Coordinates of all heavy atoms in Angstrom, one line a residue:
I5 N 81.4 86.4 39.0 CA 81.2 87.1 40.3 C 80.4 86.2 41.2 O 80.7 86.1 42.4 CB 80.4 88.4 40.1 CG1 81.3 89.4 39.4 CG2 80.0 89.0 41.4 CD1 80.5 90.7 39.0
F6 N 79.3 85.6 40.7 CA 78.4 84.8 41.6 C 79.1 83.5 42.0 O 78.9 83.0 43.1 CB 77.1 84.6 41.0 CG 76.2 85.9 41.0 CD1 75.0 85.9 40.3 CD2 76.7 87.0 41.6 CE1 74.2 87.0 40.3 CE2 75.9 88.2 41.6 CZ 74.7 88.2 40.9
I9 N 81.1 84.5 44.9 CA 80.3 84.7 46.1 C 79.9 83.3 46.7 O 80.0 83.1 47.9 CB 79.0 85.5 45.8 CG1 79.4 87.0 45.6 CG2 78.0 85.4 46.9 CD1 78.3 87.9 45.1
L14 N 84.3 86.2 47.5 CA 83.7 87.5 47.6 C 82.6 87.5 48.7 O 81.9 86.5 48.8 CB 83.1 88.0 46.3 CG 84.0 88.4 45.2 CD1 83.2 88.8 43.9 CD2 84.9 89.6 45.6
P15 N 82.5 88.5 49.4 CA 81.4 88.5 50.5 C 80.0 88.8 49.9 O 79.9 89.3 48.8 CB 81.9 89.7 51.4 CG 82.6 90.6 50.4 CD 83.2 89.8 49.4
C16 N 79.1 88.5 50.7 CA 77.7 88.8 50.4 C 76.9 88.9 51.7 O 77.3 88.4 52.8 CB 77.0 87.8 49.5 SG 76.6 86.2 50.3
A17 N 75.7 89.6 51.6 CA 74.8 89.6 52.8 C 73.9 88.4 52.6 O 72.9 88.5 52.0 CB 74.0 90.9 52.8
F28 N 71.1 85.9 48.7 CA 71.7 87.0 49.3 C 71.1 88.3 48.8 O 70.5 88.3 47.7 CB 73.2 87.0 49.0 CG 73.6 86.8 47.6 CD1 73.9 87.9 46.8 CD2 73.7 85.6 47.0 CE1 74.3 87.8 45.5 CE2 74.1 85.4 45.7 CZ 74.4 86.5 44.9
H29 N 71.3 89.3 49.6 CA 70.7 90.6 49.2 C 71.4 91.2 48.0 O 72.7 91.2 48.0 CB 70.7 91.6 50.4 CG 69.9 91.2 51.6 ND1 68.5 91.4 51.5 CD2 70.1 90.6 52.7 CE1 68.0 90.9 52.7 NE2 68.9 90.4 53.4
D30 N 70.7 91.9 47.1 CA 71.3 92.5 46.0 C 72.1 93.7 46.5 O 71.7 94.5 47.4 CB 70.2 93.0 45.0 CG 70.8 93.3 43.6 OD1 71.5 94.3 43.5 OD2 70.5 92.6 42.7
I31 N 73.3 93.9 45.9 CA 74.2 95.0 46.3 C 73.6 96.4 46.0 O 74.0 97.4 46.5 CB 75.5 94.8 45.7 CG1 76.6 95.5 46.5 CG2 75.6 95.2 44.2 CD1 78.0 95.1 46.1
S32 N 72.7 96.4 45.0 CA 72.1 97.7 44.6 C 70.5 97.5 44.5 O 69.9 97.4 43.5 CB 72.6 98.0 43.2 OG 72.0 99.2 42.7
H38 N 65.0 93.3 48.1 CA 65.5 92.9 46.8 C 66.7 91.9 47.0 O 67.8 92.3 47.5 CB 66.0 94.1 46.0 CG 66.5 93.7 44.6 ND1 67.1 94.7 43.7 CD2 66.6 92.6 43.9 CE1 67.4 94.1 42.6 NE2 67.2 92.8 42.7
L40 N 68.6 88.0 45.7 CA 68.9 87.1 44.5 C 69.0 85.7 45.1 O 69.5 85.5 46.2 CB 70.2 87.4 43.9 CG 70.4 88.9 43.4 CD1 71.8 89.1 43.0 CD2 69.4 89.3 42.3
N87 N 66.3 87.7 34.4 CA 66.8 88.4 33.2 C 67.6 87.5 32.4 O 68.3 86.6 32.9 CB 67.6 89.7 33.6 CG 66.7 90.7 34.3 OD1 65.6 90.9 34.0 ND2 67.3 91.4 35.3
L93 N 68.7 92.4 29.5 CA 69.6 93.2 30.3 C 70.2 92.4 31.5 O 70.4 92.9 32.6 CB 69.0 94.5 30.8 CG 68.5 95.5 29.8 CD1 67.9 96.7 30.4 CD2 69.7 95.8 28.8
Q94 N 70.6 91.1 31.2 CA 71.3 90.4 32.2 C 72.7 90.9 32.3 O 73.4 91.0 31.3 CB 71.3 88.9 31.8 CG 72.0 88.0 32.8 CD 72.0 86.5 32.4 OE1 71.5 86.1 31.3 NE2 72.5 85.7 33.3
T95 N 73.2 91.2 33.5 CA 74.5 91.8 33.6 C 75.5 90.8 34.3 O 76.7 90.9 34.1 CB 74.5 93.1 34.5 OG1 73.9 92.8 35.8 CG2 73.7 94.1 33.8
V96 N 75.0 89.8 35.0 CA 75.9 88.8 35.6 C 75.5 87.4 34.9 O 74.4 86.9 35.2 CB 75.7 88.7 37.1 CG1 76.6 87.6 37.7 CG2 76.1 90.1 37.7
P97 N 76.4 86.9 34.1 CA 76.1 85.6 33.4 C 76.2 84.4 34.3 O 77.0 83.5 34.0 CB 77.0 85.7 32.2 CG 78.2 86.4 32.7 CD 77.7 87.4 33.7
H100 N 70.3 83.5 37.9 CA 69.8 83.9 39.2 C 68.4 84.4 39.1 O 68.0 84.9 38.0 CB 70.7 85.0 39.8 CG 70.9 86.2 38.9 ND1 71.8 86.1 37.8 CD2 70.4 87.4 38.8 CE1 71.9 87.3 37.2 NE2 71.0 88.1 37.8
H102 N 65.8 87.2 40.7 CA 65.6 88.4 41.5 C 64.3 88.2 42.2 O 63.3 87.9 41.6 CB 65.5 89.7 40.7 CG 66.7 90.1 40.0 ND1 67.5 91.1 40.4 CD2 67.3 89.6 38.8 CE1 68.5 91.3 39.5 NE2 68.4 90.4 38.6
Ligands
5GP201 P1 71.1 90.9 36.3 O1 71.2 92.3 35.6 O2 72.2 90.0 35.8 O3 69.8 90.3 36.1 O4 71.3 91.1 37.8 C1 72.5 91.1 38.5 C2 72.3 91.7 39.8 O5 73.4 91.4 40.6 C3 72.1 93.2 39.8 O6 70.9 93.6 40.4 C4 73.3 93.7 40.7 O7 73.0 94.8 41.5 C5 73.7 92.5 41.5 N1 75.1 92.4 41.8 C6 76.1 92.6 40.9 N2 77.3 92.3 41.6 C7 77.0 92.0 42.8 C8 77.8 91.7 44.0 O8 79.0 91.6 44.0 N3 77.1 91.4 45.1 C9 75.7 91.4 45.2 N4 75.1 91.1 46.3 N5 74.9 91.7 44.1 C10 75.6 92.0 43.0

Side-chain angles (χ1 to χ4, degrees):
I5 294 172
F6 287 175
I9 289 176
L14 284 178
C16 73
F28 51 94
H29 292 284
D30 197 290
I31 203 167
S32 177
H38 183 182
L40 308 172
N87 294 322
L93 296 182
Q94 181 180 5
T95 58
V96 177
H100 52 284
H102 294 254

